[in-house]
Amino acid sequence: MRVQSSATATSSIAVTASGEFRGLGTVQAALGVVAFSLTFPATAWGLESFGPWSLVAVRGVLAALVAGGCLLALRVRLPARRHLAGLAVVAAGVVLGFPMLTTLALQTSTTAHAAVVVGLLPLTTAVFSALRTGARPSRRFWLAAVAGAAAVLAFTVGQSGGALTAADAYLFGALLVCAAGYTEGGRLARIMPGWQVIGWALVLCLPLTVPAAALALSYEPVHLSVHGVAGLVWVALGSQFLGLVVWYRGMAAIGIPRASQLQLAQPLLTLVWSALLLGEHFTVAAPLTALAVLVCIAVTQRS
């Protein structure tokens, strides 16, 4: 009887600890979503003071310095050579490609418009993950994926007067490179802590971002303002590093499917931030399309 009571007590403690761990993971993943939802408004603020190339390069340098400091302080070993190719994909997609393409898009596109288009990111990541891992999603998954893509395409064409613009091309390109970076980062996060994945990816980009920042700052005019500096600081530390740290920790705790469902709220949150922080006005088509994409992604998660 004593053995049974002890086993029952141990099991109860384990279940409670597991529940608390998942609860903390949910909070961390949700904080990551909030950080990401502020990226486009913060980028719009940053463009008030910096040129697009300067903003992307400087944000990469600042984030890498913080990440590198954390890696040094914790005496993290260098990544194995076999992981360098995967880290290069993360760096090209998440550190360089997505920030650059979305920043170029936001020069002529509203944050609300960009948020709806990039709302397809969880769906695009799921497709890349299926292709990368060799998984075979159900027919319902692919039908929902196509429906979500069609909804966003109809929205972008309708908002652009019947044709896609250069900003839309940048946004669709950003979807592809970021999905590749997320997929490879998720694979590496099974081997090493997620924050180290993004940390090493940022550090690996320093040989590119430092000279790029120096060159861009020498050519593009800088007009410092409170909004501009605040936007730069947020996209560098909030979106590029800290947001990804809590996001990866949350995914590790609750799993990618559960975390992805939290990210469904990101486009709608960005619409709210664009209205509150930038005073943007958008048609009813924007939130309706965001909701349609949310439903499509929810179906893929269920599939």
Side-chain angles (χ1 to χ4, degrees), residues 43-189:
T43 300
W45 272 6
L47 287 172
E48 294 180 11
S49 295
F50 301 91
W53 299 96
S54 299
L55 181 61
V56 172
V58 173
R59 73 181 272 187
V61 172
L62 291 179
L65 290 177
V66 174
C70 293
L71 291 168
L72 285 174
L74 297 175
R75 298 180 180 179
V76 178
R77 293 182 179 180
L78 292 172
R81 183 176 298 179
R82 65 181 183 276
H83 300 324
L84 292 180
L87 289 171
V89 174
V90 176
V94 178
V95 178
L96 299 176
F98 185 80
M100 186 71 258
L101 291 171
T102 52
T103 300
L104 290 173
L106 287 172
Q107 288 189 290
T108 56
S109 172
T110 65
T111 59
H113 181 95
V116 174
V117 176
V118 179
L120 276 177
L121 182 57
L123 204 60
T124 311
T125 303
V127 173
F128 267 75
S129 180
L131 295 174
R132 180 71 171 84
T133 62
R136 296 182 178 180
S138 66
R139 181 179 299 178
R140 184 171 64 174
F141 173 94
W142 292 115
L143 288 175
V146 172
V152 170
L153 184 60
F155 170 80
T156 53
V157 171
Q159 294 289 302
S160 304
L164 295 178
T165 64
D168 295 322
Y170 288 138
L171 291 172
F172 282 117
L175 280 174
L176 297 178
V177 297
C178 190
Y182 273 6
T183 300
E184 200 62 26
R187 187 187 68 81
L188 288 172

Side-chain angles (χ1 to χ4, degrees), residues 14-302:
V15 170
T16 301
S18 178
E20 292 177 351
F21 183 68
R22 287 196 301 270
L24 178 60
T26 301
V27 172
Q28 290 174 327
L31 289 174
V33 171
V34 173
F36 299 152
S37 70
L38 278 162
T39 300
F40 286 171
T43 300
W45 272 6
L47 287 172
E48 294 180 11
S49 295
F50 301 91
W53 299 96
S54 299
L55 181 61
V56 172
V58 173
R59 73 181 272 187
V61 172
L62 291 179
L65 290 177
V66 174
C70 293
L71 291 168
L72 285 174
L74 297 175
R75 298 180 180 179
V76 178
R77 293 182 179 180
L78 292 172
R81 183 176 298 179
R82 65 181 183 276
H83 300 324
L84 292 180
L87 289 171
V89 174
V90 176
V94 178
V95 178
L96 299 176
F98 185 80
M100 186 71 258
L101 291 171
T102 52
T103 300
L104 290 173
L106 287 172
Q107 288 189 290
T108 56
S109 172
T110 65
T111 59
H113 181 95
V116 174
V117 176
V118 179
L120 276 177
L121 182 57
L123 204 60
T124 311
T125 303
V127 173
F128 267 75
S129 180
L131 295 174
R132 180 71 171 84
T133 62
R136 296 182 178 180
S138 66
R139 181 179 299 178
R140 184 171 64 174
F141 173 94
W142 292 115
L143 288 175
V146 172
V152 170
L153 184 60
F155 170 80
T156 53
V157 171
Q159 294 289 302
S160 304
L164 295 178
T165 64
D168 295 322
Y170 288 138
L171 291 172
F172 282 117
L175 280 174
L176 297 178
V177 297
C178 190
Y182 273 6
T183 300
E184 200 62 26
R187 187 187 68 81
L188 288 172
R190 299 176 182 176
I191 304 169
M192 65 179 75
W195 75 270
Q196 293 183 22
V197 174
I198 186 59
W200 285 120
L202 286 164
V203 171
L204 287 175
C205 287
L206 274 175
L208 295 175
T209 53
V210 169
L215 183 62
L217 288 172
S218 66
Y219 280 95
E220 293 180 336
V222 176
H223 306 287
L224 294 181
S225 66
V226 174
H227 277 181
V229 174
L232 170 63
V233 171
W234 182 260
V235 294
L237 305 184
S239 303
Q240 192 83 68
F241 183 60
L242 297 178
L244 285 167
V245 168
V246 293
W247 174 245
Y248 279 128
R249 287 178 66 90
M251 283 199 298
I254 66 177
I256 294 175
R258 289 178 180 270
S260 296
Q261 290 196 24
L262 293 175
Q263 200 175 19
L264 302 180
Q266 185 174 323
L268 296 176
L269 283 174
T270 300
L271 292 178
V272 173
W273 294 128
S274 66
L276 293 177
L277 300 178
L278 304 176
E280 286 188 0
H281 300 282
F282 42 81
T283 64
V284 69
L288 287 179
T289 305
L291 285 172
V293 172
L294 189 153
V295 171
C296 291
I297 298 175
V299 172
T300 65
Q301 296 295 323
R302 296 290 182 179

